[in-house]
Amino acid sequence: MSRNDTIIVTGAGGILGRALITALNNHGYDHVIGITRSVVDLTNARNVEKLFLEVRPTTVFHLASRVYGLGGNLDHHLDIFRENTTINLNVVESCRKAMVKKIVAAGTVAAYGYPYINVPLKEEDLLIGQPHDSEYCYSQTKRHLLHHLIASKRWGKIDYAYGALTNIYGPWDKFDVQSSHVVPSLIGKAFLAKQSGNKLHVWGDGSQIRDFLYVNDAAEALITLFEKGSGVYNISSGVGVAISDLVNCIVDSIGLSTGIVWEKDKPVGIKSRIVDNSKLVSLGFCPDHSIADGISETIAWLSANSSNIDFGERR
């Protein structure tokens, strides 16, 4: 790939899109076009196709999707399915018509069949079985995206790299305490608890295990796939973290002293999910941020920008 090639990034206004565009620029890729909803509505096939044919990108990083955490997934199953299926179809088809050379797509480890065949999760098992009910519709749209990419390579000669992303977090995340992913939701709750002097309420008992990756590291992983990868790769830290340890890290970093209430009657989703990233590491990827470093940087950003954050606590 040439540094002079034109690159499109969908989902450019999101947490990962912002980090990726910065990382691409830092790597010397100067012809990067970020696509947000204000530029084009990706659910409108005609407008997406028109933009791609005008720009004629060489590579497309497809990150855009309708994303929720556990609570949001449970409340918006069919909306998630409809909108993400439409977005993915329009983007990949527009890539074909514009003769794009490579698509780097953001998938999800939620697409793995559950119960898991192997832990840590390995790429060869991605499409075996059915995803967990708590993430079913979102996961199936990401599976469909992968099948579309496979077909586009076979019959449309478009190379692809599909990154099955673990839980990412960092600056510009959505800190909605009702429907965001686990890290931003917990950070938002802890931030509000400190302001109000209340205790931090956390779903479950803290024993659940997850793999978390700081967004800047995720962006570097996508660039590694762009430059060196083809096919399916897990994008993760490769390290399992107990929710109790995550909560303690957040509490320590934010300086919350009011205590924690574990709501053991609440849904917790999958008990344990650790993700093998050895295939990605073999391309030269190595995360730079520990969970403590990433949480600290995220909270520092949130503290500096809290007046502009919608925590969703009114609902």
Side-chain angles (χ1 to χ4, degrees), residues 20 23-24 27 29 61 102 104 161 217-230 233 235 279-286:
L20 176 61
L24 284 167
H27 279 264
Y29 295 102
F61 286 86
K102 186 170 185 177
V104 182
D217 292 330
E220 291 296 331
L222 288 172
I223 293 175
T224 299
L225 295 187
F226 164 50
E227 295 179 339
K228 302 177 183 179
S230 184
Y233 293 81
I235 297 180
K279 187 177 177 183
L280 178 62
V281 169
S282 72
L283 299 182
F285 172 73
C286 181

Short mmCIF file of all heavy atoms in Angstrom, two decimals, residues 20 23-24 27 29 61 102 104 161 217-230 233 235 279-286:
data_model
loop_
_atom_site.label_atom_id
_atom_site.label_comp_id
_atom_site.label_asym_id
_atom_site.label_seq_id
_atom_site.Cartn_x
_atom_site.Cartn_y
_atom_site.Cartn_z
N LEU A 20 -8.23 5.76 15.00
CA LEU A 20 -7.63 5.21 13.78
C LEU A 20 -7.15 6.31 12.84
O LEU A 20 -6.05 6.22 12.28
CB LEU A 20 -8.64 4.31 13.06
CG LEU A 20 -8.17 3.74 11.72
CD1 LEU A 20 -6.93 2.88 11.89
CD2 LEU A 20 -9.28 2.95 11.05
N ALA A 23 -4.00 7.68 14.13
CA ALA A 23 -2.90 6.72 13.96
C ALA A 23 -2.47 6.63 12.50
O ALA A 23 -1.26 6.56 12.21
CB ALA A 23 -3.33 5.35 14.48
N LEU A 24 -3.42 6.64 11.57
CA LEU A 24 -3.07 6.61 10.15
C LEU A 24 -2.24 7.83 9.77
O LEU A 24 -1.23 7.72 9.05
CB LEU A 24 -4.33 6.54 9.29
CG LEU A 24 -5.05 5.19 9.23
CD1 LEU A 24 -6.44 5.36 8.62
CD2 LEU A 24 -4.23 4.18 8.42
N HIS A 27 1.22 7.49 10.92
CA HIS A 27 1.98 6.53 10.10
C HIS A 27 2.29 7.08 8.71
O HIS A 27 2.89 6.38 7.90
CB HIS A 27 1.20 5.22 9.97
CG HIS A 27 1.33 4.32 11.16
ND1 HIS A 27 2.25 3.29 11.22
CD2 HIS A 27 0.67 4.28 12.34
CE1 HIS A 27 2.13 2.65 12.38
NE2 HIS A 27 1.18 3.25 13.08
N TYR A 29 -0.04 8.27 6.44
CA TYR A 29 -1.15 8.19 5.48
C TYR A 29 -1.94 9.50 5.55
O TYR A 29 -2.70 9.73 6.49
CB TYR A 29 -2.05 6.99 5.80
CG TYR A 29 -1.35 5.67 5.65
CD1 TYR A 29 -0.89 4.97 6.77
CD2 TYR A 29 -1.15 5.10 4.40
CE1 TYR A 29 -0.24 3.75 6.64
CE2 TYR A 29 -0.50 3.88 4.25
CZ TYR A 29 -0.05 3.21 5.39
OH TYR A 29 0.60 2.00 5.25
N PHE A 61 -11.60 1.29 5.61
CA PHE A 61 -11.72 0.78 6.97
C PHE A 61 -13.20 0.91 7.35
O PHE A 61 -13.70 2.03 7.52
CB PHE A 61 -10.87 1.57 7.95
CG PHE A 61 -9.39 1.30 7.86
CD1 PHE A 61 -8.60 1.99 6.95
CD2 PHE A 61 -8.78 0.37 8.70
CE1 PHE A 61 -7.23 1.76 6.87
CE2 PHE A 61 -7.43 0.12 8.63
CZ PHE A 61 -6.64 0.82 7.71
N LYS A 102 -8.93 -3.18 -0.94
CA LYS A 102 -8.92 -3.90 0.33
C LYS A 102 -9.92 -3.26 1.30
O LYS A 102 -10.01 -2.03 1.38
CB LYS A 102 -7.53 -3.90 0.96
CG LYS A 102 -7.42 -4.76 2.23
CD LYS A 102 -5.97 -4.93 2.66
CE LYS A 102 -5.86 -5.88 3.85
NZ LYS A 102 -4.45 -6.12 4.24
N VAL A 104 -10.78 -3.32 5.39
CA VAL A 104 -10.42 -3.72 6.75
C VAL A 104 -11.65 -3.46 7.61
O VAL A 104 -12.06 -2.31 7.78
CB VAL A 104 -9.20 -2.93 7.29
CG1 VAL A 104 -8.83 -3.41 8.69
CG2 VAL A 104 -8.02 -3.08 6.34
N ALA A 161 -9.41 -7.84 5.51
CA ALA A 161 -8.95 -8.26 6.84
C ALA A 161 -10.09 -7.96 7.80
O ALA A 161 -10.59 -6.83 7.85
CB ALA A 161 -7.68 -7.52 7.25
N ASP A 217 -4.44 1.15 21.02
CA ASP A 217 -3.86 -0.13 20.65
C ASP A 217 -4.71 -0.82 19.59
O ASP A 217 -4.17 -1.46 18.67
CB ASP A 217 -3.73 -1.03 21.89
CG ASP A 217 -2.69 -0.53 22.88
OD1 ASP A 217 -1.72 0.11 22.45
OD2 ASP A 217 -2.87 -0.76 24.08
N ALA A 218 -6.02 -0.71 19.70
CA ALA A 218 -6.91 -1.29 18.69
C ALA A 218 -6.68 -0.64 17.33
O ALA A 218 -6.69 -1.32 16.29
CB ALA A 218 -8.36 -1.12 19.12
N ALA A 219 -6.46 0.67 17.31
CA ALA A 219 -6.19 1.37 16.06
C ALA A 219 -4.89 0.88 15.43
O ALA A 219 -4.82 0.66 14.21
CB ALA A 219 -6.12 2.88 16.31
N GLU A 220 -3.87 0.68 16.24
CA GLU A 220 -2.60 0.15 15.73
C GLU A 220 -2.78 -1.26 15.18
O GLU A 220 -2.16 -1.64 14.18
CB GLU A 220 -1.54 0.17 16.82
CG GLU A 220 -1.08 1.55 17.24
CD GLU A 220 -0.37 2.30 16.11
OE1 GLU A 220 0.24 1.64 15.24
OE2 GLU A 220 -0.43 3.55 16.12
N ALA A 221 -3.63 -2.04 15.83
CA ALA A 221 -3.91 -3.39 15.34
C ALA A 221 -4.55 -3.36 13.96
O ALA A 221 -4.20 -4.15 13.07
CB ALA A 221 -4.81 -4.13 16.32
N LEU A 222 -5.49 -2.44 13.74
CA LEU A 222 -6.14 -2.33 12.44
C LEU A 222 -5.14 -1.92 11.36
O LEU A 222 -5.22 -2.40 10.22
CB LEU A 222 -7.28 -1.32 12.51
CG LEU A 222 -8.52 -1.77 13.29
CD1 LEU A 222 -9.49 -0.61 13.44
CD2 LEU A 222 -9.21 -2.95 12.60
N ILE A 223 -4.21 -1.05 11.69
CA ILE A 223 -3.19 -0.65 10.71
C ILE A 223 -2.27 -1.83 10.40
O ILE A 223 -1.84 -2.02 9.25
CB ILE A 223 -2.40 0.57 11.22
CG1 ILE A 223 -3.31 1.79 11.29
CG2 ILE A 223 -1.19 0.86 10.32
CD1 ILE A 223 -2.68 3.02 11.89
N THR A 224 -1.97 -2.64 11.40
CA THR A 224 -1.18 -3.85 11.17
C THR A 224 -1.89 -4.77 10.18
O THR A 224 -1.27 -5.32 9.26
CB THR A 224 -0.93 -4.59 12.50
OG1 THR A 224 -0.20 -3.76 13.39
CG2 THR A 224 -0.15 -5.89 12.27
N LEU A 225 -3.20 -4.93 10.33
CA LEU A 225 -3.97 -5.76 9.41
C LEU A 225 -4.01 -5.14 8.01
O LEU A 225 -3.94 -5.85 7.00
CB LEU A 225 -5.39 -5.96 9.92
CG LEU A 225 -5.55 -6.74 11.23
CD1 LEU A 225 -7.02 -6.99 11.52
CD2 LEU A 225 -4.78 -8.05 11.18
N PHE A 226 -4.12 -3.83 7.96
CA PHE A 226 -4.12 -3.12 6.68
C PHE A 226 -2.81 -3.36 5.93
O PHE A 226 -2.81 -3.66 4.73
CB PHE A 226 -4.33 -1.63 6.97
CG PHE A 226 -3.99 -0.70 5.85
CD1 PHE A 226 -4.48 -0.89 4.57
CD2 PHE A 226 -3.18 0.42 6.08
CE1 PHE A 226 -4.18 0.01 3.54
CE2 PHE A 226 -2.88 1.31 5.07
CZ PHE A 226 -3.38 1.10 3.80
N GLU A 227 -1.71 -3.31 6.62
CA GLU A 227 -0.40 -3.40 5.98
C GLU A 227 0.06 -4.85 5.77
O GLU A 227 0.79 -5.13 4.82
CB GLU A 227 0.63 -2.65 6.81
CG GLU A 227 0.39 -1.14 6.87
CD GLU A 227 1.39 -0.39 7.73
OE1 GLU A 227 2.04 -1.04 8.59
OE2 GLU A 227 1.53 0.83 7.54
N LYS A 228 -0.37 -5.76 6.65
CA LYS A 228 0.22 -7.10 6.62
C LYS A 228 -0.77 -8.26 6.64
O LYS A 228 -0.38 -9.40 6.39
CB LYS A 228 1.15 -7.27 7.84
CG LYS A 228 2.26 -6.26 7.95
CD LYS A 228 3.07 -6.47 9.24
CE LYS A 228 4.14 -5.43 9.42
NZ LYS A 228 4.88 -5.64 10.69
N GLY A 229 -2.04 -8.01 6.97
CA GLY A 229 -2.96 -9.10 7.23
C GLY A 229 -3.98 -9.33 6.14
O GLY A 229 -4.35 -8.42 5.40
N SER A 230 -4.44 -10.57 6.04
CA SER A 230 -5.53 -10.93 5.13
C SER A 230 -6.29 -12.09 5.77
O SER A 230 -5.68 -13.07 6.20
CB SER A 230 -4.99 -11.34 3.76
OG SER A 230 -6.04 -11.60 2.85
N TYR A 233 -8.70 -12.13 12.02
CA TYR A 233 -7.77 -12.00 13.14
C TYR A 233 -8.52 -11.52 14.37
O TYR A 233 -9.35 -10.60 14.28
CB TYR A 233 -6.67 -10.97 12.83
CG TYR A 233 -5.73 -11.37 11.74
CD1 TYR A 233 -6.09 -11.21 10.40
CD2 TYR A 233 -4.47 -11.90 12.02
CE1 TYR A 233 -5.22 -11.56 9.37
CE2 TYR A 233 -3.60 -12.27 11.01
CZ TYR A 233 -3.99 -12.10 9.68
OH TYR A 233 -3.14 -12.46 8.66
N ILE A 235 -8.57 -9.25 17.56
CA ILE A 235 -7.90 -8.03 18.03
C ILE A 235 -8.18 -7.91 19.52
O ILE A 235 -9.32 -7.62 19.92
CB ILE A 235 -8.38 -6.78 17.28
CG1 ILE A 235 -8.03 -6.89 15.79
CG2 ILE A 235 -7.77 -5.52 17.88
CD1 ILE A 235 -8.48 -5.70 14.96
N LYS A 279 -2.23 -14.86 16.55
CA LYS A 279 -2.16 -14.69 15.10
C LYS A 279 -1.84 -13.24 14.74
O LYS A 279 -1.03 -12.96 13.84
CB LYS A 279 -3.49 -15.11 14.48
CG LYS A 279 -3.49 -15.13 12.96
CD LYS A 279 -4.84 -15.64 12.44
CE LYS A 279 -4.89 -15.60 10.91
NZ LYS A 279 -6.22 -16.03 10.39
N LEU A 280 -2.44 -12.30 15.46
CA LEU A 280 -2.15 -10.88 15.26
C LEU A 280 -0.75 -10.53 15.72
O LEU A 280 -0.02 -9.78 15.05
CB LEU A 280 -3.18 -10.03 16.00
CG LEU A 280 -3.04 -8.52 15.95
CD1 LEU A 280 -3.15 -8.01 14.52
CD2 LEU A 280 -4.09 -7.85 16.83
N VAL A 281 -0.34 -11.07 16.85
CA VAL A 281 1.01 -10.83 17.37
C VAL A 281 2.07 -11.31 16.39
O VAL A 281 3.13 -10.69 16.25
CB VAL A 281 1.18 -11.51 18.75
CG1 VAL A 281 2.64 -11.50 19.20
CG2 VAL A 281 0.31 -10.81 19.79
N SER A 282 1.77 -12.37 15.65
CA SER A 282 2.74 -12.90 14.67
C SER A 282 3.02 -11.92 13.54
O SER A 282 4.03 -12.02 12.85
CB SER A 282 2.23 -14.22 14.09
OG SER A 282 1.13 -14.01 13.21
N LEU A 283 2.11 -10.93 13.36
CA LEU A 283 2.33 -9.88 12.36
C LEU A 283 3.14 -8.71 12.91
O LEU A 283 3.47 -7.78 12.18
CB LEU A 283 0.99 -9.35 11.84
CG LEU A 283 0.07 -10.35 11.14
CD1 LEU A 283 -1.20 -9.63 10.66
CD2 LEU A 283 0.76 -11.04 9.98
N GLY A 284 3.43 -8.74 14.22
CA GLY A 284 4.23 -7.69 14.84
C GLY A 284 3.47 -6.81 15.80
O GLY A 284 4.05 -5.86 16.35
N PHE A 285 2.19 -7.09 16.04
CA PHE A 285 1.40 -6.26 16.94
C PHE A 285 1.74 -6.53 18.40
O PHE A 285 1.91 -7.68 18.80
CB PHE A 285 -0.09 -6.52 16.74
CG PHE A 285 -0.98 -5.85 17.76
CD1 PHE A 285 -1.19 -4.48 17.72
CD2 PHE A 285 -1.60 -6.59 18.77
CE1 PHE A 285 -2.01 -3.85 18.65
CE2 PHE A 285 -2.42 -5.98 19.69
CZ PHE A 285 -2.62 -4.61 19.64
N CYS A 286 1.83 -5.45 19.19
CA CYS A 286 2.04 -5.57 20.63
C CYS A 286 1.34 -4.39 21.32
O CYS A 286 1.69 -3.23 21.06
CB CYS A 286 3.54 -5.55 20.96
SG CYS A 286 3.89 -5.73 22.74
#
